[in-house]
Amino acid sequence: MSVHNYTKFHSRGFTLIELMIALVIAGVLALIAYNTYTSYVMRAQRSTAKSKLLEVAQHMERYYSAHNHYPALSNQRTKNNHWIISINLKNSKQKYTLKAQKQKNGLTDNKCGTMKVKSNGRKKPKSCWHSQ
């Protein structure tokens, strides 16, 4: 068989196996990219909730300094509606607990769940309030 005849019968395209391997590699890379992206989105949403909790706590303390009790406020929502911030007053408006609960409409936050700030400055869960 001459060289001319060999190239005549041998195709120059990709085989099905080569295409399938390329698709599997592309799928694995896409999965890694998606997981990384959702992780960063969750961290950003968590940071928004933490800053909103601290902002509300600051307003509560400012009000307490002027009136010697905490104000009775209703539930507030963050701008992006991923978290619900709620206020629970105790002991005749002398103590409070602020909670940030994740909405059902977004990503699931398996690490932090409900974040809390109390009037004594305690923050829970502790793992969510440290740098990530």
Side-chain angles (χ1 to χ4, degrees):
M1 185 182 239
S2 70
V3 174
H4 178 68
N5 287 340
Y6 178 73
T7 57
K8 181 178 171 183
F9 295 113
H10 185 63
S11 67
R12 296 185 181 220
F14 295 106
T15 65
L16 182 60
I17 297 294
E18 291 171 332
L19 287 175
M20 294 303 293
I21 290 171
L23 283 174
V24 167
I25 291 171
V28 168
L29 290 175
L31 181 64
I32 291 169
Y34 177 76
N35 287 339
T36 303
Y37 170 74
T38 55
S39 171
Y40 282 114
V41 168
M42 179 51 61
R43 285 175 54 189
Q45 291 175 359
R46 198 178 298 137
S47 293
T48 301
K50 288 194 294 190
S51 66
K52 189 65 173 178
L53 278 175
L54 295 176
E55 179 184 333
V56 173
Q58 179 185 29
H59 289 294
M60 298 284 283
E61 294 300 329
R62 198 177 302 157
Y63 187 92
Y64 186 85
S65 296
H67 300 92
N68 204 29
H69 65 84
Y70 293 110
L73 299 173
S74 61
N75 291 344
Q76 297 184 11
R77 293 179 185 252
T78 58
K79 290 181 184 176
N80 59 14
N81 289 330
H82 293 292
W83 296 84
I84 295 176
I85 308 295
S86 60
I87 301 166
N88 184 12
L89 294 172
K90 298 176 184 173
N91 296 345
S92 302
K93 300 182 184 178
Q94 296 300 312
K95 293 182 180 181
Y96 68 84
T97 301
L98 301 174
K99 293 181 185 178
Q101 290 181 305
K102 186 78 174 91
Q103 292 272 28
K104 302 283 188 212
N105 63 354
L107 300 171
T108 305
D109 190 359
N110 295 327
K111 180 181 178 186
C112 292
T114 301
M115 292 185 287
K116 298 178 184 179
V117 174
K118 294 188 175 191
S119 55
N120 62 4
R122 290 192 177 164
K123 300 170 186 152
K124 293 184 179 180
K126 290 182 180 182
S127 62
C128 293
W129 289 92
H130 298 296
S131 351
Q132 300 176 29

